[in-house]
Short mmCIF file of all heavy atoms in Angstrom, two decimals:
data_model
loop_
_atom_site.label_atom_id
_atom_site.label_comp_id
_atom_site.label_asym_id
_atom_site.label_seq_id
_atom_site.Cartn_x
_atom_site.Cartn_y
_atom_site.Cartn_z
N SER L 75 0.81 -1.21 0.00
CA SER L 75 0.00 0.00 0.00
C SER L 75 0.84 1.26 0.00
O SER L 75 0.39 2.33 0.40
CB SER L 75 -0.94 0.01 1.21
OG SER L 75 -0.20 0.01 2.41
N ASP L 76 2.06 1.13 -0.44
CA ASP L 76 3.00 2.26 -0.47
C ASP L 76 3.17 2.72 -1.92
O ASP L 76 3.63 1.95 -2.76
CB ASP L 76 4.35 1.84 0.12
CG ASP L 76 5.21 3.01 0.50
OD1 ASP L 76 5.00 4.11 -0.06
OD2 ASP L 76 6.08 2.85 1.36
N ALA L 77 2.81 3.96 -2.18
CA ALA L 77 2.88 4.46 -3.57
C ALA L 77 4.32 4.61 -4.05
O ALA L 77 4.57 4.57 -5.24
CB ALA L 77 2.15 5.79 -3.66
N ASN L 78 5.24 4.78 -3.13
CA ASN L 78 6.64 5.00 -3.49
C ASN L 78 7.50 3.83 -3.07
O ASN L 78 7.46 3.40 -1.92
CB ASN L 78 7.17 6.27 -2.82
CG ASN L 78 6.40 7.49 -3.28
OD1 ASN L 78 6.22 7.70 -4.49
ND2 ASN L 78 5.95 8.30 -2.34
N ALA L 79 8.29 3.33 -3.98
CA ALA L 79 9.23 2.28 -3.66
C ALA L 79 10.39 2.83 -2.86
O ALA L 79 10.69 4.04 -2.91
CB ALA L 79 9.75 1.61 -4.95
N TYR L 80 11.04 1.96 -2.12
CA TYR L 80 12.24 2.36 -1.37
C TYR L 80 13.47 1.75 -2.05
O TYR L 80 13.43 0.59 -2.48
CB TYR L 80 12.16 1.83 0.06
CG TYR L 80 13.47 1.92 0.81
CD1 TYR L 80 13.88 3.10 1.40
CD2 TYR L 80 14.34 0.82 0.88
CE1 TYR L 80 15.09 3.19 2.07
CE2 TYR L 80 15.55 0.91 1.53
CZ TYR L 80 15.92 2.08 2.13
OH TYR L 80 17.11 2.17 2.78
N TYR L 81 14.54 2.54 -2.14
CA TYR L 81 15.79 2.06 -2.71
C TYR L 81 16.93 2.34 -1.76
O TYR L 81 16.99 3.40 -1.13
CB TYR L 81 16.07 2.76 -4.05
CG TYR L 81 15.04 2.46 -5.12
CD1 TYR L 81 13.94 3.26 -5.31
CD2 TYR L 81 15.19 1.32 -5.93
CE1 TYR L 81 13.00 2.97 -6.28
CE2 TYR L 81 14.25 1.02 -6.89
CZ TYR L 81 13.16 1.85 -7.08
OH TYR L 81 12.23 1.55 -8.04
N LYS L 82 17.81 1.37 -1.67
CA LYS L 82 19.05 1.58 -0.93
C LYS L 82 19.77 2.78 -1.55
O LYS L 82 19.76 2.95 -2.77
CB LYS L 82 19.92 0.32 -1.02
CG LYS L 82 21.25 0.40 -0.33
CD LYS L 82 21.99 -0.91 -0.48
CE LYS L 82 23.42 -0.76 -0.02
NZ LYS L 82 23.51 -0.39 1.41
N ALA L 83 20.39 3.60 -0.71
CA ALA L 83 20.98 4.85 -1.20
C ALA L 83 21.96 4.64 -2.35
O ALA L 83 21.98 5.41 -3.31
CB ALA L 83 21.65 5.56 -0.03
N SER L 84 22.73 3.57 -2.26
CA SER L 84 23.78 3.37 -3.28
C SER L 84 23.23 2.97 -4.64
O SER L 84 23.97 2.99 -5.64
CB SER L 84 24.78 2.33 -2.80
OG SER L 84 24.14 1.07 -2.61
N VAL L 85 21.95 2.60 -4.73
CA VAL L 85 21.36 2.21 -6.01
C VAL L 85 20.29 3.20 -6.47
O VAL L 85 19.78 3.08 -7.59
CB VAL L 85 20.76 0.79 -5.98
CG1 VAL L 85 21.77 -0.21 -5.44
CG2 VAL L 85 19.47 0.75 -5.18
N GLN L 86 19.98 4.17 -5.62
CA GLN L 86 18.97 5.18 -5.96
C GLN L 86 19.33 5.85 -7.27
O GLN L 86 20.45 6.31 -7.47
CB GLN L 86 18.88 6.22 -4.82
CG GLN L 86 17.88 7.32 -5.06
CD GLN L 86 16.46 6.88 -4.83
OE1 GLN L 86 16.17 6.20 -3.86
NE2 GLN L 86 15.58 7.25 -5.73
N GLY L 87 18.36 5.91 -8.18
CA GLY L 87 18.59 6.54 -9.48
C GLY L 87 19.15 5.60 -10.53
O GLY L 87 19.16 5.93 -11.73
N ARG L 88 19.63 4.43 -10.11
CA ARG L 88 20.18 3.45 -11.06
C ARG L 88 19.31 2.21 -11.19
O ARG L 88 19.25 1.62 -12.25
CB ARG L 88 21.59 3.04 -10.63
CG ARG L 88 22.60 4.17 -10.57
CD ARG L 88 24.01 3.64 -10.32
NE ARG L 88 24.14 2.95 -9.04
CZ ARG L 88 24.54 1.66 -8.91
NH1 ARG L 88 24.81 0.95 -9.99
NH2 ARG L 88 24.66 1.11 -7.71
N PHE L 89 18.65 1.83 -10.11
CA PHE L 89 17.83 0.60 -10.11
C PHE L 89 16.35 1.00 -10.06
O PHE L 89 15.97 2.00 -9.45
CB PHE L 89 18.13 -0.25 -8.90
CG PHE L 89 19.48 -0.94 -8.92
CD1 PHE L 89 20.46 -0.61 -9.82
CD2 PHE L 89 19.75 -1.95 -7.99
CE1 PHE L 89 21.70 -1.25 -9.83
CE2 PHE L 89 20.98 -2.61 -7.99
CZ PHE L 89 21.94 -2.25 -8.90
N THR L 90 15.51 0.16 -10.68
CA THR L 90 14.07 0.35 -10.63
C THR L 90 13.39 -0.99 -10.42
O THR L 90 13.66 -1.96 -11.15
CB THR L 90 13.54 0.99 -11.92
OG1 THR L 90 14.22 2.22 -12.15
CG2 THR L 90 12.05 1.23 -11.83
N ILE L 91 12.49 -1.04 -9.43
CA ILE L 91 11.71 -2.24 -9.18
C ILE L 91 10.34 -2.06 -9.82
O ILE L 91 9.76 -0.97 -9.78
CB ILE L 91 11.58 -2.52 -7.68
CG1 ILE L 91 10.86 -3.86 -7.41
CG2 ILE L 91 10.89 -1.38 -6.93
CD1 ILE L 91 10.87 -4.28 -5.96
N SER L 92 9.84 -3.13 -10.42
CA SER L 92 8.50 -3.04 -11.00
C SER L 92 7.88 -4.44 -10.95
O SER L 92 8.55 -5.44 -10.73
CB SER L 92 8.54 -2.51 -12.43
OG SER L 92 9.14 -3.45 -13.30
N ARG L 93 6.58 -4.46 -11.20
CA ARG L 93 5.87 -5.74 -11.25
C ARG L 93 4.91 -5.76 -12.42
O ARG L 93 4.40 -4.73 -12.83
CB ARG L 93 5.10 -5.98 -9.96
CG ARG L 93 3.87 -5.08 -9.78
CD ARG L 93 3.07 -5.49 -8.56
NE ARG L 93 3.66 -5.01 -7.33
CZ ARG L 93 3.35 -5.51 -6.14
NH1 ARG L 93 2.48 -6.49 -6.04
NH2 ARG L 93 3.91 -5.04 -5.05
N ASP L 94 4.68 -6.95 -12.94
CA ASP L 94 3.68 -7.17 -13.97
C ASP L 94 2.69 -8.18 -13.40
O ASP L 94 2.97 -9.38 -13.37
CB ASP L 94 4.33 -7.69 -15.25
CG ASP L 94 3.32 -7.86 -16.38
OD1 ASP L 94 2.11 -7.92 -16.10
OD2 ASP L 94 3.76 -7.96 -17.53
N ASN L 95 1.58 -7.69 -12.91
CA ASN L 95 0.61 -8.58 -12.27
C ASN L 95 0.00 -9.57 -13.25
O ASN L 95 -0.42 -10.67 -12.88
CB ASN L 95 -0.48 -7.77 -11.59
CG ASN L 95 0.02 -7.02 -10.36
OD1 ASN L 95 1.05 -7.39 -9.77
ND2 ASN L 95 -0.65 -5.97 -9.99
N ALA L 96 -0.06 -9.21 -14.51
CA ALA L 96 -0.67 -10.09 -15.51
C ALA L 96 0.16 -11.36 -15.70
O ALA L 96 -0.39 -12.44 -15.98
CB ALA L 96 -0.80 -9.36 -16.83
N THR L 97 1.47 -11.24 -15.57
CA THR L 97 2.34 -12.41 -15.74
C THR L 97 2.94 -12.87 -14.43
O THR L 97 3.78 -13.77 -14.40
CB THR L 97 3.49 -12.07 -16.72
OG1 THR L 97 4.26 -10.99 -16.17
CG2 THR L 97 2.95 -11.69 -18.09
N ASN L 98 2.53 -12.22 -13.32
CA ASN L 98 3.06 -12.59 -12.00
C ASN L 98 4.58 -12.53 -11.94
O ASN L 98 5.23 -13.43 -11.42
CB ASN L 98 2.57 -14.01 -11.61
CG ASN L 98 1.65 -13.98 -10.42
OD1 ASN L 98 0.95 -13.00 -10.15
ND2 ASN L 98 1.62 -15.08 -9.67
N THR L 99 5.11 -11.46 -12.48
CA THR L 99 6.56 -11.30 -12.58
C THR L 99 7.02 -10.01 -11.92
O THR L 99 6.40 -8.96 -12.10
CB THR L 99 7.02 -11.34 -14.04
OG1 THR L 99 6.57 -12.53 -14.65
CG2 THR L 99 8.54 -11.28 -14.13
N VAL L 100 8.10 -10.10 -11.18
CA VAL L 100 8.73 -8.92 -10.56
C VAL L 100 10.04 -8.67 -11.29
O VAL L 100 10.76 -9.62 -11.62
CB VAL L 100 9.01 -9.20 -9.07
CG1 VAL L 100 9.64 -7.97 -8.42
CG2 VAL L 100 7.73 -9.59 -8.35
N TYR L 101 10.34 -7.41 -11.53
CA TYR L 101 11.55 -7.06 -12.26
C TYR L 101 12.45 -6.14 -11.41
O TYR L 101 11.96 -5.39 -10.57
CB TYR L 101 11.24 -6.32 -13.55
CG TYR L 101 10.48 -7.13 -14.56
CD1 TYR L 101 9.10 -6.96 -14.73
CD2 TYR L 101 11.11 -8.10 -15.35
CE1 TYR L 101 8.39 -7.71 -15.66
CE2 TYR L 101 10.41 -8.85 -16.26
CZ TYR L 101 9.04 -8.65 -16.42
OH TYR L 101 8.34 -9.40 -17.33
N LEU L 102 13.75 -6.22 -11.69
CA LEU L 102 14.68 -5.23 -11.18
C LEU L 102 15.53 -4.78 -12.37
O LEU L 102 16.32 -5.56 -12.92
CB LEU L 102 15.57 -5.80 -10.07
CG LEU L 102 16.53 -4.78 -9.44
CD1 LEU L 102 15.74 -3.73 -8.66
CD2 LEU L 102 17.54 -5.48 -8.53
N PHE L 103 15.33 -3.52 -12.77
CA PHE L 103 16.13 -2.95 -13.84
C PHE L 103 17.34 -2.28 -13.21
O PHE L 103 17.19 -1.41 -12.35
CB PHE L 103 15.30 -1.92 -14.62
CG PHE L 103 14.12 -2.52 -15.34
CD1 PHE L 103 12.90 -2.63 -14.70
CD2 PHE L 103 14.24 -2.98 -16.64
CE1 PHE L 103 11.80 -3.19 -15.35
CE2 PHE L 103 13.15 -3.52 -17.30
CZ PHE L 103 11.94 -3.64 -16.65
N MET L 104 18.52 -2.67 -13.67
CA MET L 104 19.76 -2.17 -13.08
C MET L 104 20.58 -1.48 -14.16
O MET L 104 20.96 -2.12 -15.14
CB MET L 104 20.56 -3.31 -12.45
CG MET L 104 19.78 -4.14 -11.43
SD MET L 104 20.77 -5.37 -10.58
CE MET L 104 21.17 -6.44 -11.94
N ASN L 105 20.83 -0.20 -13.99
CA ASN L 105 21.61 0.58 -14.94
C ASN L 105 22.90 1.05 -14.29
O ASN L 105 23.02 1.08 -13.07
CB ASN L 105 20.80 1.79 -15.41
CG ASN L 105 19.54 1.39 -16.14
OD1 ASN L 105 19.54 0.48 -16.98
ND2 ASN L 105 18.44 2.06 -15.85
N SER L 106 23.85 1.43 -15.14
CA SER L 106 25.15 1.98 -14.67
C SER L 106 25.74 1.11 -13.58
O SER L 106 26.12 1.57 -12.49
CB SER L 106 24.93 3.40 -14.15
OG SER L 106 24.39 4.24 -15.14
N LEU L 107 25.83 -0.17 -13.86
CA LEU L 107 26.30 -1.12 -12.85
C LEU L 107 27.74 -0.86 -12.45
O LEU L 107 28.58 -0.44 -13.27
CB LEU L 107 26.13 -2.55 -13.36
CG LEU L 107 24.68 -3.05 -13.28
CD1 LEU L 107 24.48 -4.26 -14.19
CD2 LEU L 107 24.31 -3.39 -11.85
N LYS L 108 28.03 -1.13 -11.19
CA LYS L 108 29.35 -0.92 -10.63
C LYS L 108 29.87 -2.23 -10.05
O LYS L 108 29.08 -3.11 -9.67
CB LYS L 108 29.29 0.12 -9.51
CG LYS L 108 28.69 1.44 -9.93
CD LYS L 108 28.55 2.39 -8.74
CE LYS L 108 27.94 3.71 -9.16
NZ LYS L 108 27.82 4.64 -8.00
N PRO L 109 31.17 -2.38 -9.93
CA PRO L 109 31.71 -3.62 -9.34
C PRO L 109 31.14 -3.92 -7.95
O PRO L 109 30.96 -5.08 -7.61
CB PRO L 109 33.22 -3.33 -9.26
CG PRO L 109 33.48 -2.40 -10.39
CD PRO L 109 32.24 -1.52 -10.45
N GLU L 110 30.83 -2.89 -7.19
CA GLU L 110 30.27 -3.10 -5.86
C GLU L 110 28.83 -3.59 -5.88
O GLU L 110 28.25 -3.91 -4.83
CB GLU L 110 30.37 -1.82 -5.00
CG GLU L 110 29.83 -0.58 -5.67
CD GLU L 110 30.91 0.24 -6.34
OE1 GLU L 110 31.80 -0.35 -6.99
OE2 GLU L 110 30.85 1.48 -6.23
N ASP L 111 28.21 -3.67 -7.06
CA ASP L 111 26.89 -4.27 -7.19
C ASP L 111 26.96 -5.79 -7.31
O ASP L 111 25.94 -6.47 -7.33
CB ASP L 111 26.16 -3.71 -8.41
CG ASP L 111 25.84 -2.23 -8.29
OD1 ASP L 111 25.47 -1.80 -7.17
OD2 ASP L 111 25.99 -1.52 -9.30
N THR L 112 28.16 -6.34 -7.40
CA THR L 112 28.33 -7.77 -7.50
C THR L 112 27.78 -8.46 -6.28
O THR L 112 28.15 -8.13 -5.13
CB THR L 112 29.84 -8.11 -7.66
OG1 THR L 112 30.30 -7.59 -8.90
CG2 THR L 112 30.06 -9.63 -7.61
N ALA L 113 26.86 -9.42 -6.50
CA ALA L 113 26.20 -10.10 -5.38
C ALA L 113 25.25 -11.15 -5.94
O ALA L 113 24.96 -11.16 -7.14
CB ALA L 113 25.41 -9.11 -4.53
N VAL L 114 24.76 -12.00 -5.05
CA VAL L 114 23.61 -12.85 -5.38
C VAL L 114 22.35 -12.04 -5.07
O VAL L 114 22.23 -11.50 -3.95
CB VAL L 114 23.63 -14.16 -4.58
CG1 VAL L 114 22.38 -14.98 -4.89
CG2 VAL L 114 24.88 -14.97 -4.88
N TYR L 115 21.48 -11.93 -6.02
CA TYR L 115 20.26 -11.14 -5.89
C TYR L 115 19.07 -12.08 -5.67
O TYR L 115 18.89 -13.05 -6.42
CB TYR L 115 20.03 -10.28 -7.12
CG TYR L 115 20.92 -9.08 -7.15
CD1 TYR L 115 22.29 -9.20 -7.42
CD2 TYR L 115 20.43 -7.79 -6.89
CE1 TYR L 115 23.12 -8.09 -7.43
CE2 TYR L 115 21.26 -6.69 -6.89
CZ TYR L 115 22.59 -6.84 -7.16
OH TYR L 115 23.43 -5.74 -7.17
N TYR L 116 18.27 -11.75 -4.65
CA TYR L 116 17.11 -12.56 -4.30
C TYR L 116 15.84 -11.72 -4.41
O TYR L 116 15.83 -10.56 -3.99
CB TYR L 116 17.20 -13.05 -2.86
CG TYR L 116 18.43 -13.87 -2.53
CD1 TYR L 116 19.60 -13.27 -2.10
CD2 TYR L 116 18.39 -15.27 -2.65
CE1 TYR L 116 20.73 -14.03 -1.80
CE2 TYR L 116 19.52 -16.03 -2.35
CZ TYR L 116 20.67 -15.40 -1.92
OH TYR L 116 21.77 -16.15 -1.62
#
């Protein structure tokens, strides 16, 4: 029920979370990736 998504400060402006309810899919769009973004994403 939150109109605004929350982003960790270090990814603010580079990452975007979205959902497609029709296909039951969640997305994470990641731009301008940096070496410190290396991780397992869940």
Side-chain angles (χ1 to χ4, degrees):
S75 62
D76 197 337
N78 297 311
Y80 167 82
Y81 296 92
K82 178 179 170 62
S84 62
V85 308
Q86 179 77 44
R88 299 189 297 122
F89 289 13
T90 303
I91 185 173
S92 69
R93 71 173 78 198
D94 183 341
N95 291 337
T97 60
N98 246 27
T99 305
V100 181
Y101 297 102
L102 183 68
F103 296 89
M104 305 186 294
N105 298 317
S106 302
L107 283 162
K108 304 175 181 181
E110 51 264 42
D111 294 320
T112 295
V114 177
Y115 283 74
Y116 302 89

